[in-house]
Amino acid sequence: MSKNRCFAPLLLILPLLISIVFLHCFLMPTDPDYWWHVTAGRTIIETGSIPHTDPFSYTSFGKEWVAHEWFSEVVFYGVEQAFGYVGNVVLFGLILCLIWYIVYRITRDRGIGELGAAFCATIWFVMARGSLNVRPQVWTVLLFSLTVFILQRRLLDHRGSLWPLAPIMLLWVNLHGGYVIGLGTMGVASVCAFIMAQPGTRWPSARPFVYILLACLAATLLNPNGIDALLYPFSYAGTGNASMQYVQEWQSPNFHNSALLVSAVLLGILVALPGKTTWWDALMVGGLAVMALVSARHLPLFGIVAVSLLAFRMVGLLPGLIASIKAWPTLRLLWVLCLVWPIVGINNIYRTVQAEQPLQVGRMATTYGYPYEAVEFLRGMDYQGNILNQYDWGGYLIYAAYPESARYVFIDGRADVHGDALMSDYMLAVGAEPGWAEVLDKYGIGVVLLGPNNALVSVLDVSSDWSQAFTDELSVIYIRSGVSN
């Protein structure tokens, strides 16, 4: 069999796999936080400074804000200004493709062949796709994958330099608060280098890892928020944190979701499969498994180290996977994959169209799922008092109304800025729990903008103190009696 004939299916499979990954963001709804992120980027560009207090809401106006994702926000705004939202979709589609390829390379380094590595990288994507969108967290997934790639090569194969990690960390600390996971990963690598070295050579073996960890710690100080940026990630620690209690992605994953079920199956396979485990695998997979079980947002990071260990175990159980694709005796499986993946891609597009969700191909992000008509109604409405808005619509209100947004926004995705007390008051009010009326009085609420399924809507609908001013399939507006319309 000729070399060209062997590689023809591979050249078809990899682009098809990559194309599915690339198209993912075109099929995703606009992330609720994108709206305020791009508005923050606009503020930074227009004012030439990074905000250190909240300019967007009336409940937290002037309150300290650590804008730890400032560089991501500048990128969002700059790309949107130049190319529209679709430019950001293309950018993040390319980033997802790069992450997929890095995961592919990480698994190839564990001794598995091309087909097995592509399979493992695709398992990662299926498991992580729910968290992958045009959002700053994707930068953490990218830079974490690069960090694992560099550290694992040096630790297990004694290849490559560790020093690229310093500029990676400098970039990371200004893009997203997940940089602290990168520092933790370097700490784990330092411990593993010490444990895995031969007696008498342990400190010399661990020294390069310790040095790069110290260099990266120094690099994290090069940010406009100084030490506050280093302390920020730890604000999410503790069981009393409102984000951990109320924000879905910070809670434990729901394994009834088919994509998240893949994570549970993968974890079960890793536990059940026999084979050796290095200290690196044990500490990384074990630590990130705990993090992912506590908060679903960590599943993409867990998936990277989990499929790496999966590849290592598969090589021990299925030696045929070590062989290069050139040595495979038959290409039938490869041709089947060439037929299956386009069907998967077409199915994804079909499901998106069936859900009536527009594809992300325009200059503006789609407002599917956001109260566009209700906001337009509010613009022409003469009212008194503040607005109580739905949590996941706060970012859109900031984008649609800034710089007047401080009149509109009760709460948005910046739960760290608003604090636990406001989050608790919001949940009490929209849940129509005892004391809801006192919360509305406390914040001077004269207008309520919520989805029709909120418990508070049912209560206001029968209240003599409130009347419905606007409704559509997505949202409803109530005004307090005495508020002009």
Side-chain angles (χ1 to χ4, degrees):
M1 187 176 295
S2 69
K3 180 178 179 181
N4 289 338
R5 187 179 174 188
C6 287
F7 271 92
L10 181 63
L11 292 175
L12 287 173
I13 286 175
L14 291 184
L16 284 170
L17 290 173
I18 291 291
S19 68
I20 298 300
V21 176
F22 176 73
L23 291 173
H24 175 73
C25 289
F26 287 89
L27 308 175
M28 292 292 286
T30 310
D31 186 79
D33 289 340
Y34 173 80
W35 306 103
W36 68 258
H37 280 307
V38 73
T39 308
R42 169 188 165 187
T43 303
I44 293 169
I45 294 298
E46 290 181 348
T47 65
S49 62
I50 297 169
H52 294 285
T53 58
D54 175 36
F56 297 141
S57 71
Y58 67 84
T59 48
S60 300
F61 189 85
K63 189 175 178 180
E64 182 182 5
W65 175 26
V66 179
H68 62 287
E69 298 162 330
W70 71 273
F71 192 42
S72 293
E73 291 154 357
V74 168
V75 171
F76 281 156
Y77 180 70
V79 172
E80 184 178 281
Q81 285 296 104
F83 307 105
Y85 181 73
V86 70
N88 277 311
V89 172
V90 170
L91 172 62
F92 276 76
L94 293 173
I95 291 172
L96 295 187
C97 292
L98 179 56
I99 298 170
W100 186 94
Y101 181 72
I102 293 170
V103 175
Y104 171 86
R105 292 303 312 169
I106 288 171
T107 54
R108 288 280 286 133
D109 283 346
R110 304 310 296 268
I112 203 167
E114 295 97 328
L115 184 59
F119 174 71
C120 288
T122 303
I123 288 178
W124 167 81
F125 174 70
V126 171
M127 182 176 69
R129 62 182 180 176
S131 299
L132 304 177
N133 201 348
V134 180
R135 56 185 308 200
Q137 186 189 357
V138 172
W139 291 113
T140 278
V141 181
L142 171 63
L143 298 176
F144 176 78
S145 66
L146 274 173
T147 299
V148 169
F149 176 70
I150 293 169
L151 288 172
Q152 184 171 285
R153 276 197 156 197
R154 182 62 180 269
L155 185 66
L156 302 182
D157 299 329
H158 308 288
R159 290 190 291 162
S161 171
L162 296 174
W163 288 107
L165 292 172
I168 286 174
M169 188 56 62
L170 175 61
L171 186 63
W172 200 345
V173 73
N174 290 290
L175 284 169
H176 189 253
Y179 75 90
V180 71
I181 299 175
L183 291 175
T185 302
M186 294 176 207
V188 169
S190 301
V191 172
C192 291
F194 185 83
I195 295 174
M196 295 166 63
Q198 295 296 324
T201 65
R202 285 180 171 170
W203 168 239
S205 297
R207 185 164 48 200
F209 294 91
V210 174
Y211 287 166
I212 193 61
L213 174 59
L214 294 175
C216 287
L217 276 170
T220 60
L221 294 172
L222 301 177
N223 73 85
N225 294 298
I227 194 68
D228 288 337
L230 306 188
L231 298 176
Y232 168 80
F234 299 99
S235 66
Y236 286 88
T239 56
N241 184 277
S243 294
M244 301 292 286
Q245 294 182 54
Y246 302 126
V247 180
Q248 185 176 358
E249 70 171 356
W250 279 105
Q251 298 177 24
S252 298
N254 176 9
F255 292 112
H256 293 283
N257 181 298
S258 59
L260 300 183
L261 182 60
V262 175
S263 307
V265 172
L266 177 57
L267 186 58
I269 290 173
L270 292 176
V271 172
L273 278 179
K276 295 181 178 180
T277 301
T278 67
W279 277 100
W280 166 255
D281 291 316
L283 293 178
M284 289 299 296
V285 174
L288 281 165
V290 171
M291 292 173 62
L293 289 172
V294 171
S295 297
R297 69 181 278 122
H298 295 127
L299 283 171
L301 308 182
F302 163 71
I304 291 170
V305 295
V307 298
S308 174
L309 177 57
L310 177 65
F312 185 54
R313 293 278 181 84
M314 288 170 66
V315 166
L317 291 175
L318 302 170
L321 289 176
I322 301 175
S324 169
I325 198 170
K326 292 183 291 184
W328 279 58
T330 178
L331 299 176
R332 285 182 185 174
L333 180 59
L334 304 181
W335 286 115
V336 169
L337 288 174
C338 289
L339 295 174
V340 167
W341 278 105
I343 294 173
V344 173
I346 293 170
N347 178 62
N348 285 342
I349 295 174
Y350 173 77
R351 289 174 62 186
T352 301
V353 173
Q354 283 293 99
E356 300 180 356
Q357 175 189 309
L359 297 178
Q360 299 279 15
V361 294
R363 283 199 60 86
M364 181 178 175
T366 65
T367 55
Y368 176 83
Y370 297 96
Y372 174 83
E373 296 293 340
V375 171
E376 291 304 305
F377 178 84
L378 284 174
R379 289 182 188 278
M381 179 182 174
D382 181 20
Y383 65 90
Q384 298 173 353
N386 296 318
I387 295 177
L388 174 67
N389 64 276
Q390 188 161 297
Y391 175 84
D392 53 348
W393 292 346
Y396 176 71
L397 287 172
I398 290 173
Y399 180 89
Y402 183 78
E404 293 82 17
S405 61
R407 184 182 176 215
Y408 285 78
V409 179
F410 178 91
I411 198 167
D412 58 80
R414 298 168 304 142
D416 54 313
V417 177
H418 296 299
D420 296 348
L422 185 70
M423 282 287 289
S424 297
D425 283 346
Y426 167 79
M427 296 302 297
L428 186 151
V430 298
E433 298 178 14
W436 65 267
E438 287 77 6
V439 171
L440 300 192
D441 291 339
K442 175 182 176 180
Y443 294 99
I445 304 298
V447 179
V448 171
L449 169 60
L450 296 173
N453 296 324
N454 283 281
L456 182 60
V457 170
S458 300
V459 173
L460 297 183
D461 198 42
V462 296
S463 172
S464 59
D465 295 329
W466 294 82
S467 60
Q468 188 181 104
F470 172 89
T471 185
D472 61 14
E473 293 182 357
L474 180 66
S475 60
V476 59
I477 295 176
Y478 283 88
I479 60 173
R480 192 189 290 263
S481 298
V483 173
S484 57
N485 182 10

